[in-house]
Amino acid sequence: MIFRKKYQEVSIKELGELPHAARAQALMEMMPWIEDITGKTVVIKYGGAAMVQEDLREAVVNDLIMLKLMGANPVIVHGGGPAITEMMGRMDIPVRWENGQRVTDDATMEVAKMTLVGKVNQELVRAINSHGAIAVGLNGADARIIQASQLDPILGRVGKVDQVDTRLIEDLIKADYIPVIATVGYGDDGDFNINADTAAGEIAAALGAQKIVFMTDVDGLYTDFSDKSTLVLRMALQEAVELAESGTLSKGMIPKIGACVTALSAGVQKAHIINGTILHSLVLEIFTDDGVGTLIVRSLEDSVDPTFVEAPVSNFAAKLESPFQNARGGAVL
């Protein structure tokens, strides 16, 4: 496990005063990372303040467009817990919790669908489509993308993911659209509300994505949240498994680490946990050597796994070799 050093703040004025060679070097740093994602699927779990603050959402949308222009295939997965709570308050529907999870009776499920599918999803799709006709809104019930069943009778219509059918998502990717998926799951006896972190991990695993990125409101994974020096820069899958089993994770981080373990165990190469309140954190994490968050890889010693089957790459990228090494250790795939 490698811990992150404190960030060094640099002003825009200082950046503008950098010599031409230094600015060119900063751009050239992106080259291996562009190769890392071109032609490949990147699943992004979108949440936190970046969903509700206009400037942050605009930055995320611009980052998504940049990813697409660089040849990546972004797939967005989102929840919307705060929006559901707000809507329930407007409708005078009481909110109940059990073990940190919302009890979802039939009335709450209707509010969840109305909010996630009809409001949050469409707002995000509209924001992306301000750049062109490129985003398509979906939910897990569409073409039975997310097939689910009841997680716990006490929680009502809170679901667990039984299966992910990727055919519609893959069709949209092939047609150069950005799928935007609200985490409502399809069940034989009705719809289910699915934890967005969990759903993102399952979708990334089923798609054979190259990366999964979790956008949060903290700088990454802390082994001890009260001690800011424990912010992790890079860790291995086995370390994440041990941390998940330790019982020391914060409540909000438990499903994220669980989803990272699900995705990486299924062959996804890298998982990232980043702070969505940092403007353009998505491209900073993906296209720079140091990144801005926590990177979890399948193996800390060597991120190249010969058993991993990569997603298809573009014709040009497929001809490239990967001699580059990066600051986080291991060869760039």
Side-chain angles (χ1 to χ4, degrees):
M1 190 180 301
I2 303 170
F3 293 94
R4 178 176 288 283
K5 297 178 181 179
K6 289 187 68 175
Y7 296 113
Q8 291 185 342
E9 296 293 337
V10 179
S11 72
I12 297 298
K13 181 179 179 181
E14 290 171 343
L15 287 174
E17 293 174 350
L18 285 174
H20 294 319
R23 279 184 275 178
Q25 181 60 37
L27 293 173
M28 291 303 293
E29 181 182 315
M30 296 175 61
M31 184 184 295
W33 301 110
I34 294 171
E35 181 190 355
D36 188 41
I37 55 91
T38 185
K40 300 171 188 174
T41 297
V42 180
V43 173
I44 299 159
K45 189 272 178 172
Y46 180 49
M51 286 186 70
V52 295
Q53 293 185 22
E54 189 62 34
D55 59 334
L56 296 176
R57 183 165 61 184
E58 182 178 353
V60 171
V61 169
N62 288 335
D63 288 358
L64 292 174
I65 300 303
M66 182 174 179
L67 282 174
K68 193 66 179 169
L69 289 172
M70 292 296 185
N73 299 316
V75 174
I76 315 306
V77 180
H78 71 85
I84 294 172
T85 300
E86 180 186 354
M87 186 63 71
M88 291 178 70
R90 290 184 185 180
M91 300 177 69
D92 292 325
I93 298 175
V95 179
R96 295 190 297 122
W97 303 89
E98 287 284 347
N99 300 320
Q101 297 194 67
R102 187 193 311 272
V103 176
T104 306
D105 57 17
D106 289 343
T108 302
M109 189 66 230
E110 289 303 310
V111 174
K113 286 194 293 183
M114 177 174 61
T115 305
L116 294 178
V117 180
K119 184 178 187 295
V120 177
N121 186 271
Q122 290 305 299
E123 287 177 351
L124 180 54
V125 168
R126 175 177 288 276
I128 298 172
N129 281 341
S130 66
H131 293 264
I134 50 179
V136 176
L138 303 169
N139 70 84
D142 291 329
R144 299 187 183 184
I145 293 171
I146 304 174
Q147 297 170 42
S149 58
Q150 190 175 62
L151 177 64
D152 185 335
I154 295 175
L155 298 175
R157 303 211 67 82
V158 173
K160 60 180 179 178
V161 178
D162 295 328
Q163 185 176 346
V164 176
D165 188 330
T166 63
R167 289 176 294 178
L168 177 56
I169 302 173
E170 290 169 344
D171 286 346
L172 290 170
I173 290 172
K174 289 175 184 176
D176 266 337
Y177 290 105
I178 299 176
V180 181
I181 306 170
T183 52
V184 173
Y186 174 89
D188 291 336
D189 60 343
D191 295 325
F192 289 93
N193 191 12
I194 310 291
N195 177 279
D197 293 322
T198 302
E202 295 284 357
I203 290 170
L207 285 170
Q210 175 77 349
K211 295 174 180 284
I212 183 168
V213 182
F214 295 86
M215 303 192 74
T216 73
D217 290 343
V218 295
D219 288 336
L221 171 65
Y222 293 88
T223 56
D224 179 358
F225 191 72
S226 65
D227 181 357
K228 300 309 178 187
S229 70
T230 65
L231 176 60
V232 176
L233 169 67
R234 191 169 186 267
M235 68 189 303
L237 170 59
Q238 183 56 42
E239 292 174 310
V241 171
E242 293 169 0
L243 196 58
E245 294 174 349
S246 69
T248 61
L249 288 172
S250 63
K251 185 184 301 183
M253 199 57 67
I254 291 172
K256 290 177 177 60
I257 295 300
C260 289
V261 170
T262 295
L264 292 170
S265 298
V268 174
Q269 193 67 20
K270 299 169 185 175
H272 306 254
I273 301 173
I274 65 173
N275 190 341
T277 68
I278 299 173
L279 286 173
H280 302 295
S281 57
L282 193 55
V283 295
L284 287 169
E285 175 68 12
I286 290 177
F287 292 123
T288 64
D289 288 349
D290 289 334
V292 294
T294 296
L295 170 65
I296 307 176
V297 293
R298 290 165 61 84
S299 170
L300 193 60
E301 291 76 22
D302 184 359
S303 65
V304 180
D305 185 344
T307 66
F308 176 67
V309 179
E310 293 186 5
V313 301
S314 69
N315 290 335
F316 177 75
K319 296 176 182 178
L320 294 175
E321 296 179 355
S322 299
F324 306 102
Q325 295 289 321
N326 65 76
R328 301 200 203 189
V332 178
L333 290 181

